[in-house]
Amino acid sequence: MDNSVASVDHDVWVVLKVARSEVGRGKVDRESIEQGREYQMGVPEVTEVADPPSLSQAFVAVAIMQAKNLTKEEYASNHPAGRIGKRLIFKVEDVMKRGEELPLCREDDLIMEQLVELSVKSCGCLIVVDDQKHLLGTFTDGDLRRSLKAHGEKIFSLTVGEMCHRSPRSISADARAVEAMQKMEDPPSPITFLPVVDDNNLVIGLVTLHGLVSAGL
């Protein structure tokens, strides 16, 4: 074996051994955690002490990257099936629903007329759009329950536009899939989906938490 290659592999082995040892014994101080955050390559929360395997994986990835002088893109392309690799290279467009899969409706549609769409598409939401498919809002199964509780039988005459959430969170198709997961967790409350829009705010897809998890993120 070439001496330089042997040296690189030895460096990786040393960092890996130390990282696993320290994480396994719970000896990770605040400074180490902050350093880990700098090394996590855009992977959210992998440096939490409560999740030692993820922290160990992050140290391993960084050790390999540094020892072999790899960029995070090169690391991801060499490990596309791994969780870190997927989080680095998967984009929203790779995991989003599109076309006939989208639960679209108009704001003047009656809520009761859209119950089948809400149920059949199994997305937990309706995406409210205009005739050009500009994003206007979202209506969730939670909104349906709240509407029933607040209005009772009057819900039969309510439109989606009257009860939908205006100015919902959204994301672009070329954003990294892990950014979608982070955005879903943002305050004021976590959500389980994001409409995907283009530069003109036209709906082109929908990314769901279930879809992200199913993709191995």
Side-chain angles (χ1 to χ4, degrees), residues 1-13 64 66-69:
M1 179 183 293
D2 180 75
N3 288 336
S4 62
V5 174
S7 177
V8 167
D9 290 340
H10 176 71
D11 290 341
V12 173
W13 180 82
I64 295 173
Q66 291 183 333
K68 296 189 176 182
N69 197 28

Side-chain angles (χ1 to χ4, degrees), residues 47-120:
T47 55
E48 293 297 333
V49 181
D51 189 7
S54 294
L55 179 54
S56 180
Q57 291 168 9
F59 275 119
V60 172
V62 173
I64 295 173
M65 285 173 62
Q66 291 183 333
K68 296 189 176 182
N69 197 28
L70 297 175
T71 65
K72 64 182 182 181
E73 288 78 14
E74 290 170 332
Y75 176 88
S77 65
N78 289 330
H79 302 80
R83 190 180 184 195
I84 291 178
K86 288 180 178 179
R87 291 190 168 196
L88 287 171
I89 62 177
F90 271 35
K91 291 187 176 182
V92 169
E93 63 184 353
D94 297 321
V95 295
M96 72 182 189
K97 295 177 179 291
R98 61 187 78 207
E100 293 299 317
E101 296 178 295
L102 299 179
L104 302 178
C105 71
R106 303 293 190 269
E107 60 181 337
D108 57 353
D109 289 340
L110 292 175
I111 291 176
M112 298 307 295
E113 293 176 350
Q114 292 301 315
L115 291 184
V116 173
E117 185 78 357
L118 183 62
S119 175
V120 170

Side-chain angles (χ1 to χ4, degrees), residues 103-107 109-119 123-129 135-148 151 155 158-168 192-193 195 206:
L104 302 178
C105 71
R106 303 293 190 269
E107 60 181 337
D109 289 340
L110 292 175
I111 291 176
M112 298 307 295
E113 293 176 350
Q114 292 301 315
L115 291 184
V116 173
E117 185 78 357
L118 183 62
S119 175
C123 297
C125 70
L126 295 171
I127 305 175
V128 188
V129 297
L135 177 62
L136 300 179
T138 56
F139 183 83
T140 69
D141 47 10
D143 292 327
L144 175 61
R145 290 191 295 270
R146 286 186 287 272
S147 296
L148 280 169
H151 300 283
I155 194 173
L158 293 177
T159 65
V160 176
E162 290 177 285
M163 302 304 297
C164 73
H165 174 64
R166 303 283 179 167
S167 302
T192 59
F193 66 89
L206 177 73

